[in-house]
Amino acid sequence: MPLSHDEITRFLKSVHPYDALPADVLDNLVQQIEVWEVEEDASVYELGTTLPGVFVIYEGQVEITDENDAVVSHLGLRNSFGERGLLRDGKAATKARAHTPSVLIVLPPDLVRSLIDGHDVVSKFFNRSRGDRTGPQSLATSSIDVLMAKNPATCPPSTPVQQAAQMMRDRHISSLCVTEGDKLLGIATLRDISGKFVADSMLKATTVSEIMTADPITLSPTDIGSDVLHVMMERGIGHIPISEGGKLVGVVTQTDLTHYQAVNSAELVRRIAKAQSAEDMAHVTVEIPQLLVQLVAGGNRHEIVTRLITDIADTATRRLLALAEDKLGPPPVPYLWLACGSQGRQEQTGVSDQDNCLMLDDSVSEDDMTYFADLAKYVSDGLDTCGYFYCPGDMMATNPRWCQPVRVWRDYFKGWIAKPNPEAQMLASVMFDLRPIGGAFHLFDDLQSDTLAAANANSIFVAHMISNSLKHTPPLGLLRGFATIRSGEHRNTLDLKHNGVVPVVDLARIYSLQGKLTEANTRARLQAAAATGVLSASGARDLLDAYDLIAETRLEHQVRLVKSGETPDNYLPPSALSDFERSHLRDAFVVVKTMQSAVGHGKGMLG
């Protein structure tokens, strides 16, 4: 489909970071780009080929796979791809093919580089869009409190060397910090034991005080990775104690540095794609909290962090589907596994349950349902093993209600729209966030567009959905304070999920219904709502800024818990924030409340 200059300009004005470019720069960009029309299943590029530029999807869907043909991601409208390989060495690091007939906008390499060099907003976007920066630069600039092992093993100076060696063996560690009370006296390593105690045939009664390195050099948790690297290289050592206020708080070893470099989303995806069981995958997904810490510490925006973490869940789901088919045999009819909830919106954090369903080809028979019940159980059980616990509300494909032919799903949506009772409103809210994960994607295409059109045309349904969306309110109290949880386990905390991000998620869903927008991701919905006129440009900017601050605060809270050795959650004590942070967070809640009020009173925020 030929695109005019004006069509391309309007489209790019709805795509970040091009929406922030001056008019003359954008006009020059549009004159230099190419438009590709790619047929269904046709290759866009192969692994290792020279990339013609950065691709932006104008229409259609594109599937990205790695060198093992494992699906890395499914991309849709306004998504871009190819930038990682282009900005690294100009070669494709993945494979891309059109999942449906697609129209792609291609920005030439020289143009992309000139935009990065000349415009901060583009530079920041592409630096963030490269994902987790796990090379030497990321390691060198990360703070030590992210790198170090906390609660290091210690022993008093009088400990016999043989006993110290047994402690290291039993704990699978290579050093002990020698302490007396809170005071660090030295460090004893396996190399000390082999090079002194064993090599010099020292007496069995020898204590660690005789072989340790006394008064070792220490660093602070606020130092950075390059400090560790420089000390290790200069002194030829592999273990550095970390102290704070004179108290031992951790230790950094060469193994810690290696592990830090190895933990990145692409590596976790690769290992999951090759796993032979759910138990194998669980050994990988247990590293997600550390990945969360590293991504946030690396300065990545929340939408990048949650997208990368969701990609891991998507890969685990697709791998479990493949393993299920290996065990059960080929499916009797085409099927589609879909995610809803935070996975459907690509917004998973360090706390995630599973919300999913199955759509089956209408040719499915009653006898075939046993196969899909077994497949759903295999995959859901596997996800639970991987740490994605069962949905408390049973919103899973293992529930026969959510494992049905497409014709039944059509009836579900028609019924919810025709009679929007409270249950229908709740179910519609969940199901409007559906995103295909694995299987026959075409089963969802017409259903989504038809449902959006029907929902948009029923003003009563939309009104009920708006009313339902206002049930989650920001935690605003009197006199510029917060309304914290009043009782129970999480008393005196803010629920950054249900009273923080969920009100914005609900607003974005309403905008998508009003505009018949196909995006599932909250941020993408808000941007699309602004681009299509459902939401004013100023309203979108305010709400996006508020959402970003709330979501970033939530992630930073989870990271603090992980770094303290605790399980991440969504409950933030306001006392953990500075006055400055509390003031800005409250301002963000005020913006959300204002937008809720406008929607609740039937004002379109278009002024």
Side-chain angles (χ1 to χ4, degrees), residues 278 316-321 324 337-338 343 353-358 372-391 394-399 402-403:
T317 304
R318 285 189 286 267
R319 183 58 183 153
L320 287 166
L321 287 169
W337 185 282
L338 303 100
Q343 185 183 2
D353 61 355
Q354 53 176 295
D355 299 281
N356 46 59
C357 63
L358 269 171
F372 292 109
D374 292 341
L375 179 139
K377 186 176 188 314
Y378 185 97
V379 176
S380 287
D381 286 352
L383 289 172
D384 182 69
T385 298
C386 292
Y388 304 100
F389 52 88
Y390 299 117
C391 173
D394 203 18
M395 187 69 68
M396 299 187 299
T398 49
N399 183 339
W402 311 126
C403 177

Side-chain angles (χ1 to χ4, degrees), residues 553-564:
T553 302
R554 181 191 185 197
L555 285 183
E556 288 164 1
H557 165 67
Q558 293 187 5
V559 164
R560 280 195 294 270
L561 292 175
V562 173
K563 288 164 66 176
S564 299

Side-chain angles (χ1 to χ4, degrees), residues 422-463:
E423 183 193 34
Q425 296 168 37
M426 183 273 293
L427 293 174
S429 294
V430 173
M431 293 305 179
F432 275 121
D433 293 349
L434 284 174
R435 182 172 60 88
I437 302 297
F441 278 59
H442 70 273
L443 295 177
F444 186 61
D445 291 343
D446 291 340
L447 175 61
Q448 183 186 36
S449 58
D450 292 350
T451 300
L452 284 172
N456 177 268
N458 190 322
S459 58
I460 296 177
F461 172 77
V462 173

Side-chain angles (χ1 to χ4, degrees), residues 299-370:
N300 294 285
R301 289 177 57 91
H302 70 91
E303 68 267 25
I304 298 297
V305 175
T306 55
R307 171 64 180 269
L308 293 174
I309 289 177
T310 305
D311 282 349
I312 296 169
D314 290 355
T315 304
T317 304
R318 285 189 286 267
R319 183 58 183 153
L320 287 166
L321 287 169
L323 291 173
E325 290 187 22
D326 288 344
K327 178 182 179 180
L328 302 173
V333 300
Y335 72 86
L336 178 62
W337 185 282
L338 303 100
C340 44
S342 60
Q343 185 183 2
R345 297 190 304 273
Q346 296 178 299
E347 293 166 4
Q348 286 189 315
T349 65
V351 188
S352 297
D353 61 355
Q354 53 176 295
D355 299 281
N356 46 59
C357 63
L358 269 171
M359 292 184 180
L360 313 175
D361 188 87
D362 283 338
S363 63
V364 67
S365 68
E366 193 63 35
D367 291 340
D368 295 333
M369 297 303 290
T370 300

